[in-house]
Amino acid sequence: MRRELGTAERNKSELSLIRFLISKNVAGIQITESGVESENSQYEVAILSFAEILKASIRSEDLCARLGQLEFTLILKGSSEIATSLAERVLRSWMFEGFGSHYSVLTVNRGESSLEILNRLDNQELRLVTKGY
């Protein structure tokens, strides 16, 4: 992240971050005899499914990392409008029964440290993309 911040500073280019959060819809999960194992398997498949959609949607110069169990963060070279458009496209493409997804976007301010940026990203309000059906 520090390298990307330094490059953006030198090139005077915009850098945006997108935080994706996958959430479990309790009513959508069917608990079977194996209970927890089945639920963990559902989480794993949902995470892998989301990661594949994300990987297919981003450019090679964009950076993506899984920061938490159900959280992904993307560093995007571009404005918050481009980041919002990408986030909405990703979430509209991803459907997984029993799970939902949200995102937040921020644009990096000049001179901000990595920690300040990540703290600000964590404090952003998450938005839900509703599907048109």
Side-chain angles (χ1 to χ4, degrees), residues 2 5 13 27 34 36 47 49 55 61 66 68 94 108 112 119:
R2 279 185 244 138
L5 288 172
S13 58
S34 56
V36 174
I47 291 165
S49 168
K55 181 180 170 185
E61 67 263 19
R66 183 173 162 206
W94 184 73
V108 174
E112 260 185 313
N119 283 336

Side-chain angles (χ1 to χ4, degrees), residues 6-127:
T7 301
E9 189 81 27
R10 282 191 303 280
N11 297 337
K12 297 188 181 1
S13 58
E14 284 187 281
L15 201 60
S16 297
L17 275 74
I18 307 171
R19 176 181 173 223
F20 293 100
L21 187 63
I22 299 170
S23 58
K24 178 181 137 185
N25 300 331
V26 176
I29 296 278
Q30 294 293 324
I31 305 281
T32 61
E33 293 174 12
S34 56
V36 174
E37 287 180 27
S38 175
E39 193 170 338
N40 286 340
S41 175
Q42 283 276 41
Y43 273 115
E44 291 171 14
V45 174
I47 291 165
L48 290 173
S49 168
F50 188 83
E52 285 298 317
I53 293 286
L54 197 54
K55 181 180 170 185
S57 300
I58 64 173
R59 304 170 297 191
S60 61
E61 67 263 19
D62 299 329
L63 301 173
C64 185
R66 183 173 162 206
L67 296 182
Q69 181 182 9
L70 299 172
E71 181 179 342
F72 293 83
T73 298
L74 174 66
I75 300 174
L76 176 76
K77 295 173 184 170
S79 68
S80 63
E81 291 81 15
I82 293 170
T84 299
S85 176
L86 172 65
E88 290 180 359
R89 188 170 65 245
V90 166
L91 295 189
R92 283 194 186 102
S93 300
W94 184 73
M95 288 184 277
F96 198 84
E97 187 175 340
F99 288 82
S101 49
H102 301 78
Y103 75 94
S104 62
V105 172
L106 70 79
T107 301
V108 174
N109 297 322
R110 300 236 185 266
E112 260 185 313
S113 72
S114 298
L115 183 59
E116 289 171 327
I117 294 165
L118 291 175
N119 283 336
R120 198 160 55 96
L121 186 62
D122 283 343
N123 293 325
Q124 292 283 84
E125 182 179 333
L126 292 168
R127 294 178 235 171

